[in-house]
Amino acid sequence: MAVLVYVDDLVIAGNDSSTCNEFKQYLKHCFHMKDLGSLKYFLGFELARGAAGLFICQRKYTLDILSECKMLDCKPSSFPMEQNQKLALDTGPIFTNPPRYRRLVGQLIYLTITRPEITYSVHILSHFMQAPRQAHWDAAMRVLRYLKSSLGQAIILPKDNDLQLVGFCDSDWASCPLTRRSTTGYLMKLGPAPISWKTKKQTTMSKSSSEAEYRAMNQAVSEIIWLRSLLSSLQIQYDCPTVLHCDNQAAIHIAANPVFHERTKHIKTNYHFIRTHLQRGIISTTYVHTTKQQADIFTKALASRQFQDLTVKLGVHNPHTPT
């Protein structure tokens, strides 16, 4: 049995209903508590159970955002951000209501918990919280138009799941036009369901795309180690390595090569802990072609067709869309 506590709200989950009921009776004896039954709504998350599994979305929360921004009647968009849009270089007029922009970006950040496909777009928008310009607000409106087109879209945790942890990592080399730092993106899936994802600008500048990919692998390995520990506490044990997919063969060779040479001497030694976990059998790296790299959606803005294809591969679905 596992118990999630948020202030005075509790979510109880377990594989034995009698044990869960005994625990709830114990809590009722100790505190004035109300049993709300099966979990359906929690902190803005809507949960529905079906024959296929558990569906988690934030549809009402999304509608509240659209309503607050008066975008309920807007024209839908098939993808959230234009390609090659250099918002960091924009010199247009300052947006007249910066607090409104900050509030909207904060709401979108919370929405990424169930909408991984907008993570990169929100990551870019969050760079301009201090002094947003009109172009940044327009880009945020583009994200809302995408949300209008996919209100019911979210994550499905399938009933039939092999519970195998798989990782994808990618980077966009020197993507920041101001600092020339690379962008890291990773995706962790438990079976076909996404459970962890991230977009982050790297803290240092990489001299090559291989180095940027290697640093992305470093962050992905850290996440894998933490997830394996978390799953272990939930009695999910792994006897085999967790597969980490990378689309850069040079980075894979750096991770496996114990010899420091000219192209890797400048990389901090703490990044080479990847090798240690490779040798221990905790992870195993494998090459995946760029066109099949699911983490690609976390490192750059994509065209409509590629964006839609990767969204499906992520494990994000809209059950209200006819197939």
Side-chain angles (χ1 to χ4, degrees):
M1 184 177 64
V3 182
L4 172 65
V5 181
Y6 180 81
V7 191
D8 58 351
D9 295 321
L10 284 80
V11 177
I12 303 171
N15 57 5
D16 187 349
S17 58
S18 61
T19 301
C20 294
N21 290 329
E22 289 178 10
F23 181 68
K24 286 190 286 187
Q25 292 301 321
Y26 169 76
L27 290 176
K28 287 182 179 179
H29 177 74
C30 298
F31 308 99
H32 179 67
M33 191 190 79
K34 185 177 181 180
D35 185 3
L36 299 178
S38 299
L39 185 63
K40 295 180 180 179
Y41 190 83
F42 184 71
L43 300 178
F45 299 96
E46 301 169 58
L47 297 94
R49 293 169 178 83
L54 182 66
F55 179 71
I56 306 175
C57 73
Q58 292 173 281
R59 188 175 187 274
K60 181 181 180 301
Y61 183 74
T62 305
L63 285 170
D64 291 342
I65 297 174
L66 292 172
S67 177
E68 182 177 322
C69 295
K70 296 180 174 56
M71 294 289 284
L72 285 173
D73 297 327
C74 68
K75 182 179 179 181
S77 173
S78 59
F79 55 101
M81 180 168 281
E82 293 283 353
Q83 284 185 292
N84 304 316
Q85 190 174 15
K86 303 297 183 182
L87 292 175
L89 301 177
D90 185 80
T91 57
I94 298 292
F95 183 57
T96 56
N97 193 349
R100 186 182 181 189
Y101 178 87
R102 298 184 190 113
R103 174 174 170 81
L104 174 58
V105 173
Q107 292 172 320
L108 292 175
I109 290 174
Y110 191 67
L111 189 59
T112 59
I113 298 176
T114 59
R115 301 294 298 267
E117 77 276 17
I118 67 170
T119 300
Y120 175 78
S121 303
V122 177
H123 163 77
I124 295 298
L125 295 175
S126 65
H127 290 171
F128 315 110
M129 302 282 266
Q130 185 64 30
R133 298 182 180 273
Q134 184 62 43
H136 306 151
W137 176 257
D138 294 340
M141 293 298 100
R142 175 62 181 259
V143 175
L144 294 186
R145 288 200 295 272
Y146 166 72
L147 294 176
K148 173 67 182 301
S149 70
S150 55
L151 284 173
Q153 189 159 284
I155 297 171
I156 294 179
L157 303 178
K159 183 177 181 179
D160 297 324
N161 194 328
D162 58 9
L163 300 180
Q164 290 301 311
L165 184 63
V166 181
F168 296 83
C169 67
D170 194 20
S171 73
D172 191 14
W173 181 49
S175 58
C176 179
L178 299 178
T179 63
R180 286 304 170 188
R181 293 181 183 177
S182 306
T183 301
T184 288
Y186 65 69
L187 167 70
M188 303 298 157
K189 303 181 76 173
L190 193 63
I195 60 171
S196 178
W197 52 86
K198 192 171 188 178
T199 297
K200 184 178 181 180
K201 185 189 295 185
Q202 295 183 1
T203 56
T204 57
M205 186 172 63
S206 300
K207 293 184 177 181
S208 65
S209 59
S210 299
E211 181 182 341
E213 294 277 358
Y214 188 59
R215 295 181 190 275
M217 287 180 64
N218 173 78
Q219 295 190 21
V221 171
S222 297
E223 185 71 6
I224 287 173
I225 294 170
W226 179 78
L227 286 173
R228 285 173 66 106
S229 175
L230 176 63
L231 292 169
S232 176
S233 67
L234 297 174
Q235 300 183 7
I236 301 175
Q237 305 291 341
Y238 294 104
D239 298 325
C240 57
T242 297
V243 177
L244 178 61
H245 297 277
C246 178
D247 61 2
N248 188 290
Q249 294 187 1
I252 295 175
H253 294 324
I254 293 173
N257 185 7
V259 179
F260 290 84
H261 47 76
E262 290 184 359
R263 297 176 66 180
T264 60
K265 284 181 179 178
H266 62 283
I267 301 177
K268 292 181 180 180
T269 55
N270 61 344
Y271 286 103
H272 294 293
F273 89 111
I274 299 174
R275 296 174 184 166
T276 303
H277 293 93
L278 274 171
Q279 294 170 356
R280 291 179 180 175
I282 296 177
I283 65 165
S284 64
T285 56
T286 183
Y287 174 75
V288 61
H289 194 272
T290 303
T291 57
K292 298 181 180 180
Q293 174 57 273
Q294 297 183 28
D296 199 34
I297 199 172
F298 299 105
T299 61
K300 60 179 72 69
L302 303 173
S304 177
R305 177 67 179 273
Q306 188 179 6
F307 177 84
Q308 296 295 337
D309 290 345
L310 284 180
T311 298
V312 174
K313 291 179 180 178
L314 286 181
V316 180
H317 305 281
N318 190 344
H320 305 290
T321 302
T323 58

